[in-house]
Amino acid sequence: MANISLMIGGRCADGEEAHLTRLAEMIDEKLAQAGAVGQTEPRMLLFASLMLADELHELRQRAQQPAAAPAPTPPPAPAPVPEIPEVLVEELARIADHVEKLADLLEQSASNA
């Protein structure tokens, strides 16, 4: 690669070779995206400038927008339900059956009265 000596506004960019190389790569990427490779040099630089300016504009617009509220944290998972012993299930079923029979008897006596 050739040495780069860049003077802008009377200032030299010594020691910035790696940074300048990366910037040049960004311009080359923009030109490839635009399909502008092979155009005249001024036209290629114009395309790259417009694309980089558009990207900068979008970033500035996003920076001015209020930050989105963070997503609410999901509620904690419910605690595992302990397994009910089979004996207790059978006893509850027997009691429920007995209560239903009592309810039937009460309904019958109410309709007979």
Side-chain angles (χ1 to χ4, degrees):
M1 181 181 347
N3 290 338
I4 298 173
S5 179
L6 186 62
M7 187 76 92
I8 297 177
R11 297 183 61 189
C12 186
D14 285 336
E16 297 290 323
E17 290 84 4
H19 182 64
L20 289 173
T21 300
R22 179 61 193 130
L23 293 176
E25 289 170 356
M26 288 174 62
I27 292 170
D28 191 47
E29 289 170 14
K30 293 298 176 188
L31 290 173
Q33 289 173 0
V37 176
Q39 300 287 327
T40 64
E41 186 176 326
R43 185 171 286 218
M44 287 190 304
L45 292 174
L46 176 64
F47 274 117
S49 298
L50 288 172
M51 292 180 72
L52 288 169
D54 182 53
E55 188 174 313
L56 177 62
H57 175 74
E58 287 179 17
L59 290 172
R60 285 180 176 171
Q61 291 292 330
R62 283 190 217 149
Q64 290 176 355
Q65 294 175 353
T73 55
V81 178
E83 190 173 322
I84 300 172
E86 187 65 30
V87 173
L88 185 56
V89 171
E90 291 171 2
E91 185 64 23
L92 287 173
R94 188 186 65 72
I95 292 170
D97 188 47
H98 185 69
V99 169
E100 285 179 23
K101 287 179 183 174
L102 288 172
D104 289 340
L105 286 172
L106 287 172
E107 285 178 8
Q108 287 176 3
S109 66
S111 64
N112 291 337

